[in-house]
Amino acid sequence: MKQPFHHGSLKQALLDASGILLDQHGPDGVTIRAIARQVGVSHAAPVNHYKDRETLLTALATILFKDLLASVQEKLSNKNLPASTRVSVFAIVLFEYAMAYPNRYRLLWHTGLVNHNDPQLLDVMDQFYDACCAEIAGAGMCPERDVETVAIALWSMVHGYTDLRLTGMFEEKNDNVSGCPRLEAMLDMFLNQSHAKSPQE
């Protein structure tokens, strides 16, 4: 028997079902038919709220990115954090989120399923990126480089390492010299180099 929905509640139910399927089966397992089946409606019902699969998954990705942003903001609310630690928060939040929710993390960057030009998604992604740039600027990192260059370098390093961990190419290990977890050691190396004085100073 199909579950009845009040007007407006089906939209949220579709998102909830999408999240469940995403965790269970990965991005490719989240289809309109599977979502409708999970919710208990006809496969044509979701179109009343989301015109297609990409629209629905983009809405889901927006929610997930808002969760990431909220996690960063919560950690940065501690005003006693050193400047370099505040910068590393962005990397740590991304990595820990990926390890805890690998399929959610994969969806965020899935260009075939998510419209990254969607205004709402773009807005929250820009908020995340702009906040990272602001912390880098506030820390006075790598003054001989543009702030965005430093931010992109940090993001690329963390995303690359995270992706290789998710695919199983890299194992969870500590740095053999410092004894720190690999990501922590990488961030320490990156932040120390970024704070090094330029030859002109």
Side-chain angles (χ1 to χ4, degrees):
M1 179 177 179
K2 293 182 179 179
Q3 180 180 356
F5 291 93
H6 296 291
H7 179 71
S9 63
L10 177 56
K11 186 173 184 179
Q12 185 59 51
L14 294 171
L15 285 172
D16 293 342
S18 299
I20 293 171
L21 289 169
L22 177 64
D23 287 337
Q24 292 177 342
H25 306 293
D28 292 333
V30 187
T31 65
I32 293 296
R33 284 186 177 276
I35 294 166
R37 191 181 307 115
Q38 179 79 19
V39 174
V41 296
S42 71
H43 70 271
V47 76
N48 294 320
H49 296 284
Y50 301 101
K51 65 177 183 178
D52 53 30
R53 183 188 185 201
E54 181 185 74
T55 303
L56 193 154
L57 290 180
T58 298
L60 179 59
T62 301
I63 293 172
L64 299 182
F65 231 110
K66 285 180 179 178
D67 291 341
L68 280 171
L69 181 61
S71 295
V72 165
Q73 291 171 334
E74 180 182 3
K75 292 181 182 299
L76 293 181
S77 65
N78 180 358
K79 303 302 182 182
N80 296 321
L81 290 178
S84 60
T85 302
R86 294 180 69 84
V87 173
S88 69
V89 161
F90 295 85
I92 293 170
V93 165
L94 281 170
F95 177 75
E96 290 183 345
Y97 187 83
M99 294 300 104
Y101 307 106
N103 288 330
R104 299 183 195 183
Y105 187 83
R106 290 187 180 101
L107 177 69
L108 293 177
W109 318 113
H110 203 308
T111 56
L113 296 177
V114 173
N115 176 16
H116 291 95
N117 292 316
D118 176 79
Q120 290 186 312
L121 177 57
L122 199 56
D123 178 63
V124 68
M125 290 179 72
D126 283 345
Q127 288 184 56
F128 190 97
Y129 180 71
D130 290 345
C132 181
C133 288
E135 293 296 339
I136 289 171
M141 292 174 59
C142 207
E144 71 279 11
R145 296 288 184 269
D146 182 89
V147 167
E148 289 200 52
T149 296
V150 181
I152 291 171
L154 175 64
W155 193 301
S156 299
M157 180 186 76
V158 175
H159 183 66
Y161 176 68
T162 300
D163 187 62
L164 288 166
R165 279 288 304 274
L166 290 178
T167 59
M169 295 299 294
F170 286 163
E171 299 177 357
E172 180 182 3
K173 289 187 176 181
N174 293 342
D175 178 75
N176 289 326
V177 177
S178 67
C180 295
R182 189 73 71 195
L183 179 62
E184 184 179 327
M186 291 166 62
L187 287 171
D188 182 64
M189 177 182 67
F190 178 87
L191 294 170
N192 284 336
Q193 287 181 343
S194 296
H195 277 105
K197 291 184 177 180
S198 64
Q200 289 78 23
E201 294 183 294

